[in-house]
Amino acid sequence: DARVTQTPRHKVTEMGQEVTMRCQPILGHNTVFWYRQTMMQGLELLAYFRNRAPLDDSGMPKDRFSAEMPDATLATLKIQPSEPRDSAVYFCASGLGSRDRGYEQYFGPGTRLTVT
Amino acid sequence: ELKVEQNPLFLSMQEGKNYTIYCNYSTTSDRLYWYRQDPGKSLESLFVLLSNGAVKQEGRLMASLDTKARLSTLHITAAVHDLSATYFCAVDPYAGGTSYGKLTFGQGTILTVHP
């Protein structure tokens, strides 16, 4: 049963520290998405990649967030420096779609980040 | 900017009753997705709707898409407690090109089914 995996599942850190979240997409999927979910803002798209190339990162605060795909099995989301307002659940999703089949996304379990 | 609005945002239902969740969106699209999220959990794909008039059913849930009205509905039949969750619709805008699945999500509808 193929799944998206994310590490760590929980992270508590102090303001100003660097945070790195990792995602392993489903093998063979060529599109990877990073989302952030909060009670106030709901589910927001931060960035996404297709065939490891970044397509859109307009949802990310550029000065502190960065997203990369060093290889097809790993996507990373970094926050440096972290701030309390970054506290949220961060989801990674992957997909392998087409215009005809649609672009169904499969979500990982999420990383719950708390910045104190 | 694409806007996706769900209503109601909160839905308290009795077991055995029927109800519908509505998802309106603001721009042309013929691709809409429904997801379910249990408390503290991830999102699970329920339905993929890819054309005007598309209808999908799974158990007590049925989803449909009317692209002319820019409206999708998620109908719940004879609700049971296990259906309690948050339901999201998400729209993939299509403007002659392709967005590779860049979704805009609705706010979510929190459904509670009680005896």
Side-chain angles (χ1 to χ4, degrees), chain A residues 31 33 35 37 43 45 48 50 55-56 91 99-105 107-109 112, chain B residues 30-31 33 35 37 40-43 45 48 50 88 92 94 98-103 105:
Chain A
T31 314
F33 304 81
Y35 292 92
Q37 186 176 38
L43 207 55
L45 177 66
Y48 75 115
R50 180 168 174 87
L55 286 191
D56 188 340
F91 288 106
R99 176 72 186 104
D100 294 333
R101 274 204 317 270
Y103 295 95
E104 189 174 12
Q105 295 179 23
F107 281 72
R112 183 174 296 275
Chain B
D30 59 357
R31 294 183 291 193
Y33 307 79
Y35 287 86
Q37 185 177 34
K41 303 292 186 183
S42 185
L43 281 79
S45 178
V48 177
L50 298 179
F88 292 93
D92 180 0
Y94 176 64
T98 183
S99 63
Y100 300 116
K102 180 182 176 182
L103 300 182
F105 282 79

Side-chain angles (χ1 to χ4, degrees), chain A residues 44-77:
Chain A
E44 304 171 279
L45 177 66
L46 297 175
Y48 75 115
F49 297 79
R50 180 168 174 87
N51 296 326
R52 294 177 55 203
L55 286 191
D56 188 340
D57 62 0
S58 59
M60 286 200 315
K62 296 288 191 307
D63 54 339
R64 298 185 300 107
F65 284 58
S66 63
E68 295 180 347
M69 272 202 80
D71 62 61
T73 64
L74 177 65
T76 62
L77 181 66

Side-chain angles (χ1 to χ4, degrees), chain B residues 5 9 13-14 16 21-23 25 43-44 52 54-57 62 69 71-72 74 78 86 88 92 96 98 103:
Chain B
E5 294 188 348
L9 298 183
M13 293 179 65
Q14 260 192 315
I21 298 171
Y22 298 89
C23 174
Y25 54 96
L43 281 79
E44 173 191 354
N52 184 40
V55 177
K56 295 276 184 78
Q57 182 161 8
M62 184 173 71
L71 171 69
S72 179
L74 181 65
T86 300
F88 292 93
D92 180 0
T98 183
L103 300 182

Side-chain angles (χ1 to χ4, degrees), chain A residues 1-113:
Chain A
D1 187 19
R3 293 172 189 245
V4 176
T5 59
Q6 290 185 247
T7 57
R9 295 291 307 278
H10 301 271
K11 176 74 176 177
V12 180
T13 190
E14 291 184 348
M15 183 172 64
Q17 297 297 305
E18 176 178 303
V19 175
T20 299
M21 291 170 268
R22 293 177 174 79
C23 167
Q24 182 172 4
I26 292 173
L27 189 65
H29 282 190
N30 60 359
T31 314
V32 174
F33 304 81
W34 282 106
Y35 292 92
R36 175 170 65 183
Q37 186 176 38
T38 61
M39 289 295 293
M40 293 301 294
Q41 299 297 326
L43 207 55
E44 304 171 279
L45 177 66
L46 297 175
Y48 75 115
F49 297 79
R50 180 168 174 87
N51 296 326
R52 294 177 55 203
L55 286 191
D56 188 340
D57 62 0
S58 59
M60 286 200 315
K62 296 288 191 307
D63 54 339
R64 298 185 300 107
F65 284 58
S66 63
E68 295 180 347
M69 272 202 80
D71 62 61
T73 64
L74 177 65
T76 62
L77 181 66
K78 288 186 183 177
I79 308 174
Q80 169 63 24
S82 57
E83 296 180 2
R85 59 180 166 152
D86 300 329
S87 297
V89 180
Y90 291 80
F91 288 106
C92 173
S94 71
L96 175 64
S98 68
R99 176 72 186 104
D100 294 333
R101 274 204 317 270
Y103 295 95
E104 189 174 12
Q105 295 179 23
Y106 297 83
F107 281 72
T111 294
R112 183 174 296 275
L113 174 65

